[in-house]
C-alpha cells in the first residue's frame, strides 16, 4: 500500500517575526506600565511625606531609661517647649535652662518635646524662623543626638531679631553637618520639606508667644531652673539626677 510522502518541516520566518515583535511590544508596554505605577507611587508618597500647615509634630528627646507612668510606655513627665530660633527670649531660655533640660533628659527624669514655630517670620529676615525650624526637623529625623547639637548651635549663633543678615540654607546645611547630620538632611533643608508645617505650627498648637513651656500639656510659667526642678519633683518624686545645671556660656551673635 502506497503512503503519502511526508512534508518537510518548514520554519515560518514571518510567523517568528510576528511572535518576536509581539513579545517586544508586550515587554515595552510592561516597562511603561511599571514606570508609570512607580511614578504615581513616588508622587503620592512624596506628597504624604511633606507635612503641611495645620499638622503638629514634636521632636521628642528622651532617654531609654525615662521614668514612665505605671503600667504604660508613656513618660511620667513631658516638658514641651515651643520655640522660635529667632526669638531672643528663646535664646535666653536655652542659655539658662538648656543645660538643665539636657541633664534631666539624660538622667531619665523627663522626656523633652520640642516644637519649632515661626512667629517671627518676615520677608526682611528671609523667613529665617521657618527655615531654621524646618531644618531642625530635618536633622531630628536622622538623629536626635545631632538635633540636640544643632539646636544648641543655632542658639549659640543666633542672629539679631532686628539684624540685616541671616543664615541662608547653605549655612543651615553646614551647621547640620557640623552637628553630625548628613544623609538626606541637605536635600530636606534645601527643599524646605518641613517649612509649611513650621509656619502653621503656632496656630495649630495655640501658641501666642515664645518660648511657651508646658509640662504634661499644661502651661508652665518658668522662672529658674531650680523652680523647674521643684515642680518636676512633685510629679516624679525625688529621683536621682533631679537637679539643676549651671547655665550655658553667653551666645555669640552670628556675623
Amino acid at each position: 500500500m502506497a503512503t503519502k510522502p511526508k512534508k518537510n518541516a518548514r520554519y515560518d520566518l514571518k510567523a517568528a517575526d510576528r511572535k518576536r515583535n509581539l513579545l517586544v511590544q508586550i515587554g515595552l508596554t510592561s516597562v511603561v506600565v511599571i514606570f508609570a505605577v512607580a511614578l504615581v507611587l513616588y508622587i503620592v508618597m512624596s506628597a504624604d511625606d511633606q507635612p503641611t500647615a495645620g499638622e503638629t509634630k514634636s521632636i521628642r528627646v528622651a532617654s531609654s531609661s525615662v521614668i514612665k507612668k505605671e503600667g504604660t510606655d508613656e513618660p511620667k513627665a513631658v516638658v514641651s517647649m515651643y520655640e522660635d530660633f529667632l526669638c531672643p527670649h528663646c535664646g535666653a531660655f536655652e542659655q539658662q535652662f538648656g543645660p538643665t533640660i539636657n541633664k534631666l533628659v539624660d538622667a531619665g527624669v523627663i522626656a523633652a518635646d520640642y516644637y519649632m514655630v515661626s512667629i517671627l517670620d518676615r520677608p526682611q529676615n528671609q523667613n529665617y524662623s521657618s527655615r531654621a525650624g524646618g531644618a531642625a526637623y530635618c536633622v531630628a529625623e536622622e538623629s536626635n543626638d545631632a538635633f540636640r547639637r544643632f539646636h544648641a548651635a543655632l542658639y549659640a549663633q543666633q542672629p539679631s531679631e532686628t539684624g540685616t543678615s541671616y543664615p541662608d540654607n547653605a549655612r543651615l546645611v553646614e551647621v547640620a553637618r557640623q552637628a553630625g547630620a548628613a544623609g538626606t538632611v541637605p536635600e530636606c533643608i534645601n527643599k524646605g520639606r518641613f517649612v509649611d508645617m513650621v509656619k502653621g505650627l503656632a496656630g495649630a498648637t495655640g501658641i501666642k508667644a515664645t518660648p511657651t513651656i508646658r509640662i504634661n500639656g499644661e502651661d508652665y510659667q518658668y522662672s529658674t531652673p531650680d523652680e523647674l526642678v521643684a515642680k518636676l519633683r512633685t510629679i516624679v518624686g525625688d529621683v536621682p539626677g533631679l537637679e539643676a545645671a549651671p547655665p550655658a556660656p553667653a551666645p555669640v551673635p552670628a556675623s
Side-chain angles (χ1 to χ4, degrees):
M1 181 176 179
T3 59
K4 293 182 179 179
K6 292 182 178 180
K7 293 182 178 180
N8 293 328
R10 292 183 300 171
Y11 184 76
D12 191 335
L13 290 175
K14 291 184 177 181
D17 287 341
R18 286 196 297 271
K19 185 176 181 180
R20 183 171 59 253
N21 290 339
L22 179 60
L23 291 174
V24 170
Q25 289 176 356
I26 292 173
L28 290 174
T29 302
S30 299
V31 170
V32 171
V33 170
I34 291 172
F35 176 78
V37 171
L39 181 61
V40 170
L41 286 175
Y42 173 79
I43 292 172
V44 171
M45 292 177 68
S46 297
D48 290 342
D49 203 32
Q50 180 95 14
T52 57
E55 293 186 49
T56 60
K57 180 179 181 180
S58 70
I59 298 169
R60 171 157 291 186
V61 179
S63 164
S64 59
S65 60
V66 65
I67 300 171
K68 297 176 182 176
K69 296 177 183 177
E70 188 174 353
T72 76
D73 288 327
E74 289 297 310
K76 200 167 188 180
V78 178
V79 177
S80 301
M81 291 158 282
Y82 300 78
E83 305 175 350
D84 184 319
F85 275 123
L86 192 55
C87 162
H89 297 293
C90 295
F93 178 87
E94 171 65 15
Q95 182 192 4
Q96 186 180 13
F97 284 83
T100 295
I101 295 293
N102 285 329
K103 185 172 185 177
L104 297 178
V105 166
D106 291 337
V109 177
I110 65 169
D113 279 355
Y114 292 88
Y115 293 84
M116 307 315 303
V117 304
S118 61
I119 62 174
L120 294 177
D121 254 0
R122 302 288 187 276
Q124 297 91 325
N125 59 40
Q126 301 156 29
N127 294 324
Y128 175 73
S129 295
S130 58
R131 289 190 298 105
Y137 280 95
C138 291
V139 172
E141 194 170 55
E142 179 176 293
S143 165
N144 263 3
D145 288 338
F147 162 75
R148 294 172 79 174
R149 292 188 288 268
F150 181 80
H151 178 269
L154 285 196
Y155 279 124
Q157 307 165 34
Q158 187 182 48
S160 169
E161 181 186 356
T162 58
T164 58
S165 177
Y166 300 89
D168 58 12
N169 284 351
R171 177 58 187 164
L172 293 174
V173 168
E174 175 59 18
V175 175
R177 185 194 66 77
Q178 292 173 359
T184 60
V185 171
E187 179 183 10
C188 180
I189 292 175
N190 285 322
K191 288 188 174 181
R193 184 169 153 231
F194 289 98
V195 166
D196 285 345
M197 184 189 76
V198 171
K199 286 185 180 219
L201 201 52
T205 54
I207 297 303
K208 305 297 184 185
T210 54
T212 290
I213 312 301
R214 291 172 177 168
I215 297 179
N216 290 345
E218 295 186 0
D219 286 348
Y220 170 71
Q221 185 58 52
Y222 64 90
S223 55
T224 67
D226 285 327
E227 286 296 328
L228 174 62
V229 165
K231 171 65 177 179
L232 291 169
R233 186 172 284 115
T234 67
I235 299 173
V236 300
D238 195 9
V239 297
L242 182 54
E243 55 186 21
V252 177
S255 56

